Amino acid sequence: MQNKFLSYDYDFLVINNIELDHVDFFKNISDIYDSFIKASERSKCLIINEDIDIEHNNKYTFGKKETSFSRFKIINETEEGYILDLKVGDINEIVRFPFCGEHMIYNMLAALTVLYLNDKIININDVIRNMSLPKKRMEVTYIKGNTVVTDY
């Protein structure tokens, strides 16, 4: 394991969580956190979980807090997923989210934030209806000259 993600420059860097991982390479959680700070310095825009404290001059947060740029409230939870009150920027909708686990909601909020900031979102329900999940860890996709790396 190396800090390979520090080799990239990012238009959008999304940080959903920072946890102790790859202890064969990183000394401790502070070492990991420092790597994410360095990565954020290489990004034009930082989209970050509201609970992570990294400063950036072009930062958008997502989560449950009213102060977050993109936020959610669970209205109902079913075996098929959730009914959510979602707000992304100035768009606010009630949506049916067909996946289980709050971590999936956080992933979706981060993706919706990227779409919103690129003027690619008008109706959140339409986006969710057409959503598909990545197929594998570290999936690299090339879209219109952009490199998209999905690591989950």
Side-chain angles (χ1 to χ4, degrees):
M1 175 66 192
Q2 300 169 7
N3 277 339
K4 290 183 181 179
F5 69 107
L6 295 180
S7 301
Y8 295 101
D9 291 319
Y10 303 94
D11 289 330
F12 295 92
L13 176 62
V14 176
I15 303 175
N16 199 345
N17 66 326
I18 298 175
E19 58 190 30
L20 187 59
D21 198 2
H22 300 291
V23 294
D24 56 321
F25 177 77
F26 293 106
K27 292 178 255 170
N28 52 41
I29 190 69
S30 294
D31 196 25
I32 295 169
Y33 203 86
D34 289 343
S35 289
F36 277 96
I37 290 171
K38 288 175 185 167
S40 72
E41 292 168 355
R42 300 180 64 92
S43 69
K44 294 177 186 173
C45 181
L46 179 62
I47 299 168
I48 191 165
N49 182 308
E50 65 195 2
D51 294 329
I52 300 171
D53 185 26
I54 293 178
E55 292 304 314
H56 194 278
N57 62 355
N58 193 23
K59 176 170 100 170
Y60 297 86
T61 58
F62 59 92
K64 293 181 178 181
K65 296 177 185 172
E66 285 292 318
T67 54
S68 287
F69 180 80
S70 299
R71 57 190 177 272
F72 73 96
K73 180 179 178 185
I74 298 173
I75 297 172
N76 192 20
E77 184 175 351
T78 69
E79 290 181 8
E80 292 83 35
Y82 300 96
I83 305 297
L84 303 171
D85 181 0
L86 287 183
K87 184 163 177 37
V88 179
D90 60 358
I91 300 173
N92 197 177
E93 293 181 29
I94 304 296
V95 301
R96 183 176 302 279
F97 186 65
F99 302 102
C100 295
E102 281 194 34
H103 65 287
M104 296 296 287
I105 300 170
Y106 281 87
N107 293 340
M108 179 217 21
L109 270 181
L112 288 172
T113 304
V114 172
L115 289 172
Y116 181 88
L117 294 172
N118 279 292
D119 295 321
K120 302 288 185 197
I121 185 170
I122 297 170
N123 182 298
I124 295 172
N125 277 291
D126 287 344
V127 172
I128 291 173
R129 256 190 302 281
N130 295 309
M131 181 183 290
S132 63
L133 298 177
K135 307 254 184 297
K136 60 183 179 178
R137 185 172 174 94
M138 288 301 294
E139 180 178 14
V140 178
T141 309
Y142 302 95
I143 303 171
K144 297 182 181 178
N146 294 299
T147 304
V148 179
V149 179
T150 305
D151 180 17
Y152 65 92

